[in-house]
Amino acid sequence: MNFGFFKNFLAKGTLGIDMGTASIKVVELSKESGRFKLLNYGIFRLENQEEAVETKQKITKLPDQDIVWGIKELIARSGIKSKNVVASIPSFSTFSTVISLPYLSERDLAKAIPFEAKKYVPIPIDQVILDWSIINSTSDQTSGGQLGAGRITPTVDVFLAAVPKHETERYKKIMNAAGLNLAALELENIALIRSLIGNDLSPVAIVNIGGRSTSILVVNQGFERISHNYEIGGFEITRSIARSMGVGLSRAEEFKKTIGLKPEGTKVVSEAMTSLLDMMVFEAKKTITTFENAKGVKIQKIFLVGGVANMPSFLEYFKTKINMETVIGNPFARVVYPKELAKMIPELSPTFSIAAGLAMREV
Ligand SMILES: Nc1ncnc2c1ncn2[C@@H]1O[C@H](COP(=O)(O)OP(=O)(O)OP(=O)(O)O)[C@@H](O)[C@H]1O
Ligand SMILES: [Mg+2]
């Protein structure tokens, strides 16, 4: 296990903590005269995950006491002072969707939503915490609310999210045990939208490729519209390289990070990955096309994030295959940071996108 951070022992702000399967990421931000300032960041790599992959153990849940220990080490070593945490809950343990309801006042919606949610949420509604926000309503375009013959019945689109109560309890306990206070728990995708898109209303997609899984989400007018999650990520890529080249996982991991898809690199490395990478591109394209066809809206740009986005020449490969404008997401675009960090920001960006978005949340 190892760490990366820079020390700032003076200031205080909000902590965003992203507990991934490959690593735990922390970003500490403060807000000064309307601008976010980066106070600190840190990463705690969970290296034993590679072995877990090799033996096909279930790697979704690291023992909670290990997570607590990891967070405490990170906080102590990087000199983080803030106590208030916004943590993310991975997409695979939450549920979210967009539903359409008849136009109602916000108060009536608050009453109607738990009933509607029962139809969509796969676990009993008394075992989840529901959260929702109005995306838009067709009544925005109608005047006066009087409906004449032939007028469209006004509806509201509501983004609905459900988090299992036992998960929120678990996160609270983890943070308390680490000496922190869980101020809010948030869906990964919401944090990504906040850090990468901000107030931009144009239709875009975000592809997050982590260790264990990949998620693709389509965002329009600042809200998630559809998302898709599947279990292929950096670990699987490493395994494939190891198999093709007949080397161990740590060697394969090194090849992935140093050679990756570099055109001048060893062909065996890139060839070992292509079917997995092409599957990722295919899935991303499918989700985007589904949305475009259903809504008649064209996606303008794709943001790539997650550790795998750092792979040499991956951006160029993805962009060419998907044939759309693609960039590496930058969660620090609107953040003030010490100028010594400027050189490192491009490399940090994909990994810290969720943690930064969490720390940007108002608590
Ligand atoms: N420079 C690099 N080149 C290629 N792969 C990289 C690079 N840096 C990190 N990775 C890979 O990215 C993965 C980790 O990404 P990330 O930190 O986003 O995962 P995570 O959030 O912990 O996992 P998950 O979201 O799936 O739970 C690992 O498989 C790692 O090998
Ligand atoms: Mg992740």
Side-chain angles (χ1 to χ4, degrees), residues 278-297:
D278 290 353
M279 200 137 78
M280 287 171 181
V281 173
F282 175 82
E283 291 291 337
K285 188 86 191 171
K286 197 167 75 183
T287 303
I288 289 168
T289 314
T290 304
F291 174 80
E292 287 182 336
N293 292 344
K295 300 288 172 186
V297 173

Side-chain angles (χ1 to χ4, degrees), residues 2-24:
N2 57 53
F3 308 89
F5 46 81
F6 79 100
K7 288 179 195 282
N8 185 334
F9 289 97
L10 297 172
K12 250 186 168 183
T14 301
L15 289 181
I17 303 189
D18 166 16
M19 297 182 268
T21 41
S23 59
I24 301 170

Side-chain angles (χ1 to χ4, degrees), residues 126-167:
D126 60 342
Q127 288 170 27
V128 298
I129 292 173
L130 277 182
D131 196 6
W132 54 275
S133 20
I134 297 173
I135 300 179
N136 59 21
S137 59
T138 50
S139 78
D140 293 349
Q141 287 106 43
T142 59
S143 54
Q146 288 281 327
L147 298 176
R151 298 279 292 271
I152 310 157
T153 312
T155 56
V156 246
D157 283 344
V158 175
F159 175 77
L160 183 72
V163 176
K165 281 182 183 160
H166 65 88
E167 284 290 335

Side-chain angles (χ1 to χ4, degrees), residues 18 20-23 25 209-213 234-235 253 256-257 306-308 310-312 351:
D18 166 16
T21 41
S23 59
K25 281 82 84 172
I209 313 170
R212 177 188 115 137
S213 64
F235 297 152
E253 177 81 8
K256 176 177 79 172
K257 290 183 176 168
V308 175
N310 273 330
M311 181 155 63
T351 300

